Amino acid sequence: MNKTTSKKLNKADQYNDPKHNYLRYWDGRDYEQAAEEIAIRRLLKDMKFKQAVDVGGGYGRLSVVLRDYADKVTLAEPSQQQLDISKDFLKGKPKVDAILAQAEKLPFDNDTVDLAMVVRVIHHLPNPVPAFEEIYRVLRKDGYFLIEFANYSNFKNRIKHAVKFQKMPVDPVDIKTHESDIPFVNHNPKTVKKQLAQTGFKVEQVLSVSNFRSPTLKKILPKSVLVSLEKSLQKPLAKTYCGPSTVYLLRKV
């Protein structure tokens, strides 16, 4: 049975805004959903965990994928609105509990979690190090950390900077398109990798994800073709950090 705490934590930005329904945000984004699932299943293939935590996992969109790899999955989400949505989304889906929690303050004892996953979260964290340190704290020795983040060093941005004879920034880049107090940044994957290493994580695998995230391509090519291309190129393109999303699988050392 899903359990949702009523404990009040910090404000969870726009995800508590009744005008912003994150479940509806995914309407028409079937390719992006498939791309992320492919990456998760590829990285976790043949693995089995006792306790997995989907940190900042919204309404449980990808928590349900983790059920195939863990005896117990906890959705740790800072937005009460997202947890309310999760009650319906996770109904009839066993092995997933839901709790109100911030990435920087997780309600788990030291060394108790086998797998932590963070997807589409650190674009709201210009400094993700406190979250990395907290995840390191709760993970068991040799536990795994799967993280996805918006990659500023993608192919499109590299061309944009090259024609202007500009170096790629190493610090997070604010990409907000409208007035807002909510951080929205893209990260340099090499910087993120360095931050993770300094925290105590070792990179096991890297993938380039959502490589064909383009409104034009999605109009021209059917989803089946895009997904097939995605599946075949996530690993080959990883070394070049080509796609708009980078995924690391790391191990606590």
Side-chain angles (χ1 to χ4, degrees):
M1 180 180 293
N2 300 321
K3 304 171 185 176
T4 304
T5 70
S6 58
K7 182 179 178 181
K8 294 289 184 181
L9 293 176
N10 296 331
K11 181 181 177 184
D13 50 60
Q14 79 266 30
Y15 297 99
N16 273 329
D17 185 346
K19 297 178 182 178
H20 181 87
N21 187 318
Y22 193 53
L23 180 64
R24 297 281 71 83
Y25 170 85
W26 284 92
D27 291 345
R29 288 181 166 85
D30 293 348
Y31 158 69
E32 289 86 346
Q33 171 75 22
E36 292 176 4
E37 284 196 34
I38 289 167
I40 293 168
R41 294 189 183 282
R42 170 173 274 142
L43 294 175
L44 301 184
K45 184 179 179 182
D46 298 326
M47 292 187 181
K48 195 67 178 178
F49 306 94
K50 290 183 178 179
Q51 165 78 346
V53 180
D54 184 5
V55 181
Y59 56 86
R61 177 177 67 92
L62 296 173
S63 300
V64 294
V65 178
L66 291 184
R67 293 186 308 158
D68 293 340
Y69 304 93
D71 296 332
K72 179 183 178 182
V73 178
T74 302
L75 166 62
E77 165 59 37
S79 163
Q80 184 59 55
Q81 177 172 268
Q82 292 304 301
L83 292 178
D84 291 342
I85 295 172
S86 78
K87 291 177 183 178
D88 286 332
F89 182 77
L90 296 175
K91 190 177 294 183
K93 300 177 177 71
K95 298 203 301 184
V96 181
D97 290 341
I99 61 172
L100 193 66
Q102 298 280 342
E104 299 88 347
K105 192 175 182 181
L106 296 170
F108 304 103
D109 292 335
N110 295 353
D111 311 311
T112 55
V113 174
D114 302 294
L115 167 69
M117 182 173 75
V118 169
V119 175
R120 291 183 179 247
V121 172
I122 74 166
H123 58 273
H124 292 312
L125 304 177
N127 177 18
V129 172
F132 294 165
E133 291 175 341
E134 180 69 346
I135 289 168
Y136 185 90
R137 178 187 70 80
V138 303
L139 280 175
R140 299 181 192 276
K141 188 178 185 303
D142 292 324
Y144 284 89
F145 180 20
L146 191 158
I147 179 172
E148 177 277 344
F149 58 92
N151 165 31
Y152 190 78
S153 296
N154 61 64
F155 181 70
K156 183 178 178 181
N157 280 343
R158 288 210 295 272
I159 291 177
K160 182 175 72 174
H161 281 261
V163 297
K164 295 179 180 179
F165 300 100
Q166 296 175 340
K167 292 183 178 180
M168 294 300 295
V170 296
D171 295 326
V173 178
D174 191 333
I175 61 165
K176 287 198 300 282
T177 57
H178 58 279
E179 196 70 25
S180 173
D181 293 330
I182 302 160
F184 199 100
V185 300
N186 282 184
H187 291 270
N188 184 310
K190 293 182 180 179
T191 300
V192 174
K193 184 178 180 180
K194 182 178 179 181
Q195 292 170 327
L196 288 161
Q198 290 173 341
T199 304
F201 289 106
K202 178 184 177 183
V203 175
E204 298 279 308
Q205 295 188 62
V206 182
L207 296 177
S208 178
V209 179
S210 294
N211 297 285
F212 305 100
R213 186 190 299 165
S214 162
T216 302
L217 283 177
K218 287 165 69 174
K219 289 178 181 178
I220 296 173
L221 298 175
K223 174 193 167 186
S224 59
V225 173
L226 292 175
V227 169
S228 179
L229 289 170
E230 176 76 21
K231 187 177 294 186
S232 63
L233 291 175
Q234 280 187 350
K235 198 167 182 64
L237 293 178
K239 293 180 180 180
T240 64
Y241 293 110
C242 179
S245 289
T246 294
V247 176
Y248 289 142
L249 180 67
L250 307 112
R251 186 168 52 84
K252 176 178 176 177
V253 295

